[in-house]
Amino acid sequence: IRGCPPEEVKAIVESSEDMDGSRIIECLVDDVATRFPNATVEFEDVVFAARKIRGALKRLLSPKREKEVKTERDERRIDDLRDFVIRTIGSYPGNEDIELSEQLVDDIMSV
């Protein structure tokens, strides 16, 4: 947590050891973001089991990390789309044995 006094960070980390995942998020959104509006949080590993992340939590990501996250998300979407194209083309009768090269799939996706 950057932009938050070190003693506050220590208290947050110590108190989070007994929290479940949802309470940690509430702590960051309700406590840290409210008390330290210029603070940012960088996570080493994160898994969210939600479709949408609340605005205050998004704001806690540093601009650099937010850009990295968007790039990673976009790369996953492209990979998902590539897999969809391969499955769809292969599902048509007579196309079961077609070998789709990565270049051919990219060409199809660019149309």
Side-chain angles (χ1 to χ4, degrees), residues 32-47:
V32 176
T34 302
R35 293 176 50 213
F36 306 99
N38 295 320
T40 60
V41 175
E42 198 160 314
F43 301 96
E44 186 172 315
D45 291 305
V46 177
V47 175

Side-chain angles (χ1 to χ4, degrees), residues 12-56:
I12 291 166
V13 169
E14 288 174 356
S15 68
S16 71
E17 291 174 2
D18 297 328
M19 292 183 198
D20 65 6
S22 63
R23 179 60 194 121
I24 291 172
I25 300 302
E26 289 174 17
C27 174
L28 290 173
V29 171
D30 298 336
D31 301 337
V32 176
T34 302
R35 293 176 50 213
F36 306 99
N38 295 320
T40 60
V41 175
E42 198 160 314
F43 301 96
E44 186 172 315
D45 291 305
V46 177
V47 175
F48 292 108
R51 292 204 175 268
K52 299 212 179 233
I53 306 300
R54 292 169 39 194

Side-chain angles (χ1 to χ4, degrees), residues 29-83:
V29 171
D30 298 336
D31 301 337
V32 176
T34 302
R35 293 176 50 213
F36 306 99
N38 295 320
T40 60
V41 175
E42 198 160 314
F43 301 96
E44 186 172 315
D45 291 305
V46 177
V47 175
F48 292 108
R51 292 204 175 268
K52 299 212 179 233
I53 306 300
R54 292 169 39 194
L57 186 58
K58 276 186 179 177
R59 188 196 55 73
L60 288 171
L61 292 176
S62 68
K64 176 186 173 205
R65 184 64 186 135
E66 186 175 358
K67 183 178 179 180
E68 290 170 350
V69 167
K70 285 180 180 179
T71 299
E72 290 169 5
R73 180 199 62 208
D74 291 345
E75 288 171 356
R76 280 193 309 272
R77 286 180 177 170
I78 289 170
D79 289 342
D80 290 345
L81 180 58
R82 181 177 283 115
D83 291 343

